[in-house]
Amino acid sequence: KQEVTQIPAALSVPEGENLVLNCSFTDSAIYNLQWFRQDPGKGLTSLLLIQSSQREQTSGRLNASLDKSSGRSTLYIAASQPGDSATYLCAVRPDTGNQFYFGTGTSLTVIP
Amino acid sequence: ETGVTQTPRHLVMGMTNKKSLKCEQHLGHNAMYWYKQSAKKPLELMFVYSLEERVENNSVPSRFSPECPNSSHLFLHLHTLQPEDSALYLCASSPDRRGPSGANVLTFGAGSRLTVL
C-alpha cells in the first residue's frame, strides 16, 4: 500500500522568505502527484498537478518538482506572504485504480 | 453552478437520527469520492465510485452507506452514528484515466461539517 509522508508537520516563517515543503512516497509506480492547499474548516484547493512523466510544474510563486525514482516531491513557495498560511497536502495517484493517497500535511504560518 | 457542491455545509444530529450528505459535480468527471477528515489525522478514503470500479474502505462502519445514482451525484447516508464520527466529510471528483492527462485533477467540494451529539 502506498504511504505518503510530509515533512515538516508544521512550519513558521517570516514574510518574504522562500520555503520548501517536502512530500515522500513509498511506491514509485504513480500516475500523478497533486499538491493542495486547505484553509481551516474548508475543502481542499488544487495548486499543482505533476504527471509521472514530468519533472516540475509552476504556477505563479509556486513550483512543484517530482523525482519519481526516489519517491519525492517538493513544493517551493517564493516570497511567502501571510495569505499563504494554510495546510498544504500532497496526494499520489497510483498507476492503477482511482484512489489517491494523501500525506498528513504541513501546516504553514507566515508571520507578517 | 460549477465545480463540486456539497450540502449541507453543517449538520448536527443525534445518535438515533438518519440523515444524508449530498454531493454534486458539474465538471463532467466520472469518478467520485467520499473522504473523512478528523483532527490531526490524514484524509481517510471512505468510498470511490467510477465507471471502472467501486471501492470501499473495509474499515468504514456499516452505519455509513454510499449511493451513486449517476456520475454527477453522490450521497452518504448516515444512521445511528457515534460521537467519534464527528468530522469534516469531503466529496471529490476526478476524470478517469481515459481523459486528457492534463485534466486528471482531483477536485474537492467545500465539505460537510458533521457533529454527532
Side-chain angles (χ1 to χ4, degrees):
Chain A
K1 179 188 172 184
Q2 178 75 265
E3 292 186 6
V4 182
T5 305
Q6 290 187 247
I7 294 174
L11 181 63
S12 183
V13 300
E15 182 177 2
E17 269 202 11
N18 303 325
L19 58 101
V20 175
L21 306 180
N22 298 291
C23 173
S24 61
F25 45 95
T26 55
D27 188 344
S28 62
I30 68 169
Y31 188 69
N32 63 37
L33 184 145
Q34 199 167 345
W35 282 94
F36 294 87
R37 168 190 173 133
Q38 186 177 30
D39 293 292
K42 302 290 178 64
L44 279 67
T45 300
S46 180
L47 298 173
L48 289 164
L49 173 79
I50 310 178
Q51 297 296 335
S52 61
S53 59
Q54 297 175 325
R55 298 285 294 189
E56 65 179 313
Q57 283 288 333
T58 298
S59 176
R61 294 183 293 109
L62 305 179
N63 176 277
S65 68
L66 175 64
D67 184 343
K68 197 172 77 162
S69 61
S70 68
R72 292 181 183 175
S73 176
T74 61
L75 179 67
Y76 175 82
I77 303 177
S80 58
Q81 301 171 358
D84 295 330
S85 298
T87 297
Y88 291 80
L89 298 102
C90 67
V92 169
R93 185 175 189 174
D95 263 344
T96 58
N98 283 307
Q99 298 188 51
F100 292 77
Y101 294 91
F102 281 83
T104 51
T106 295
S107 176
L108 172 66
T109 302
V110 180
I111 303 166
Chain B
E1 288 199 44
T2 59
V4 180
T5 303
Q6 289 188 241
T7 54
R9 294 292 312 279
H10 300 273
L11 177 63
V12 179
M13 58 187 291
M15 293 169 60
T16 58
N17 291 158
K18 288 186 180 181
K19 297 286 184 182
S20 297
L21 305 181
K22 179 182 176 182
C23 178
E24 186 173 359
Q25 59 97 0
H26 305 272
L27 300 168
H29 291 171
N30 44 31
M32 296 188 75
Y33 311 76
W34 280 116
Y35 284 89
K36 176 183 178 181
Q37 188 175 40
S38 304
K40 308 295 184 185
K41 292 184 179 180
L43 275 168
E44 176 189 356
L45 177 67
M46 302 177 72
F47 304 101
V48 182
Y49 277 85
S50 72
L51 296 177
E52 304 163 329
E53 62 182 343
R54 169 181 163 167
V55 175
E56 297 186 16
N57 183 339
N58 291 330
S59 68
V60 175
S62 60
R63 55 187 183 266
F64 293 92
S65 173
E67 179 188 359
C68 190
N70 54 60
S71 61
S72 299
H73 294 84
L74 185 65
F75 296 89
L76 188 62
H77 302 302
L78 318 169
H79 61 99
T80 59
L81 295 190
Q82 303 297 313
E84 61 264 29
D85 297 322
S86 298
L88 182 66
Y89 289 84
L90 293 162
C91 174
S93 69
S94 76
D96 67 16
R97 296 170 197 281
R98 298 171 298 174
S101 60
N104 281 295
V105 175
L106 181 65
T107 305
F108 280 85
S112 293
R113 172 68 63 184
L114 173 66
T115 302
V116 182
L117 301 176

